[in-house]
Amino acid sequence: MSKNSHYYSKTEGRVIERPLVDPQAKAGSSAGRKQRNKDREREVYPRQGLPISRKGRSNVWIEHYQRGYYQAKTTGRPMLGDEPVITISVSCDRRLLEELDLAGIGRSDAFVRGANVLLDQIKPPK
């Protein structure tokens, strides 16, 4: 009997054998957790659309990767990947950033306004 091969079930009132873990599920969960930790260190967590490379991956692996990466904030809440607001990382000219700061314009507000202007420019005329 290996460690953690059995557990005490409160509902049954006895020790029962723990079901086997799918190796695909374990590998996906582990990969998602590792990516989440890397992204937190880089301060870009959470990112959308992960895992990027899905070629050769089973649906079980992808599902468990996403569970490992997009952890729920609290019980009963949607996972972070489903939140309406996300954190992104963009490059910017330092002088432009200094001007924004001096004008009292927040970085998020600047991005939203700039993105809306760009989207308005590319929309086809009605």
Side-chain angles (χ1 to χ4, degrees):
M1 182 164 81
S2 68
K3 187 177 180 182
N4 294 327
S5 64
H6 292 70
Y7 70 99
Y8 180 79
S9 171
K10 290 181 181 178
T11 57
E12 293 189 28
R14 64 186 178 92
V15 175
I16 59 174
E17 189 173 358
R18 188 176 303 278
L20 295 176
V21 177
D22 182 353
Q24 288 288 316
K26 187 173 181 179
S29 179
S30 179
R33 175 184 46 78
K34 289 176 183 178
Q35 186 65 52
R36 181 184 73 240
N37 291 337
K38 286 179 190 176
D39 285 358
R40 280 192 173 148
E41 286 175 11
R42 295 180 191 140
E43 298 180 355
V44 294
Y45 176 78
R47 290 188 292 153
Q48 297 293 317
L50 294 179
I52 295 168
S53 174
R54 299 177 185 206
K55 186 175 183 181
R57 302 291 188 187
S58 70
N59 289 338
V60 171
W61 189 93
I62 292 169
E63 178 185 345
H64 282 83
Y65 178 100
Q66 291 173 339
R67 285 184 189 177
Y69 184 81
Y70 301 114
Q71 288 191 329
K73 291 194 288 190
T74 59
T75 305
R77 300 277 307 267
M79 293 196 312
L80 289 174
D82 299 330
E83 291 294 303
V85 177
I86 63 166
T87 301
I88 62 170
S89 176
V90 295
S91 298
C92 179
D93 181 81
R94 286 185 188 276
R95 289 177 292 162
L96 179 60
L97 189 57
E98 288 174 5
E99 288 181 37
L100 286 172
D101 290 340
L102 290 173
I105 299 171
R107 295 171 184 184
S108 294
D109 190 39
F111 175 81
V112 169
R113 290 182 186 194
N116 283 328
V117 167
L118 287 172
L119 288 172
D120 286 343
Q121 291 176 356
I122 63 170
K123 286 182 183 175
K126 293 180 181 180

